[in-house]
Amino acid sequence: MKKILIIHGPNLNLLGKREEDIYGSKSLDDINKSLEAKAKELSVSIEAFQSNIEGEIVQKIQEASSEGFSAIVMNPAAYTHTSVAIRDAVSAIDIPVIEVHISNIYAREEFRHTSLIAPVAQGHIAGFGVQSYILGLEACADLIK
Ligand code: DQA
């Protein structure tokens, strides 16, 4: 069974408690459980990883292929707008990365309108609430079929 890595960036451990008007009331655990259920339907397996630390995310991206992952669904959170290191890690690997966001980053503050990751990602999904993750997983499963 093909494995897909889910990467959650900084502050996403606070989902459910953090700016609920923007990010909703579901916790990270709820999201991971929904992803597990969807993964079963799609006949893939997933592993979820969250970090508030840029270098840990870079490391995980670098190791994904040798750890047997066929693709990555990633919400880089605030690092979307700042991290050349995460962008370079995505560019350096040979498995597809789908970038997802809960909120529509283009309808928010101007500093969120630029994603450094989008130009090197396979695709980009934003604005569908936690459903963005499910859409990202579906897209990934389709890509690696
Ligand atoms: C986010 C959007 C980012 O701008 C923000 O920094 C986040 C979450 C989203 O999922 O909507 O932490 O990636």
Side-chain angles (χ1 to χ4, degrees):
M1 191 182 279
K2 297 226 169 132
K3 287 204 299 175
I4 297 175
L5 174 63
I6 315 288
I7 299 181
H8 304 283
N11 299 306
L12 296 173
N13 54 311
L14 299 179
L15 285 175
K17 293 179 256 187
R18 170 195 184 205
E19 298 178 278
E20 277 188 62
D21 49 324
I22 299 172
Y23 300 117
S25 56
K26 288 208 169 143
S27 68
L28 192 61
D29 210 40
D30 294 334
I31 293 172
N32 287 334
K33 282 191 182 125
S34 305
L35 286 167
E36 286 283 357
K38 178 52 78 175
K40 259 196 199 130
E41 261 177 48
L42 296 168
S43 302
V44 294
S45 74
I46 59 161
E47 181 186 305
F49 171 80
Q50 190 277 328
S51 178
N52 295 323
I53 300 167
E54 187 177 22
E56 286 184 359
I57 296 171
V58 169
Q59 195 72 27
K60 197 73 187 171
I61 293 169
Q62 286 186 11
E63 289 166 0
S65 192
S66 58
E67 284 181 354
F69 293 102
S70 302
I72 301 176
V73 174
M74 172 164 66
N75 183 347
Y79 287 140
T80 306
H81 320 296
T82 64
S83 180
V84 176
I86 292 176
R87 177 198 170 109
D88 285 353
V90 171
S91 282
I93 61 169
D94 53 7
I95 59 171
V97 176
I98 305 266
E99 176 188 353
V100 301
H101 298 283
I102 296 168
S103 63
N104 177 358
I105 55 175
Y106 304 100
R108 299 184 60 196
E109 302 96 321
E110 209 171 321
F111 68 87
R112 294 185 204 274
H113 296 182
T114 303
S115 167
L116 298 186
I117 312 303
V120 293
Q122 180 83 31
H124 171 106
I125 298 166
F128 296 96
V130 296
Q131 187 68 12
S132 292
Y133 280 100
I134 301 287
L135 295 170
L137 182 59
E138 283 176 340
C140 250
D142 209 49
L143 273 177
I144 61 175
K145 250 205 285 213

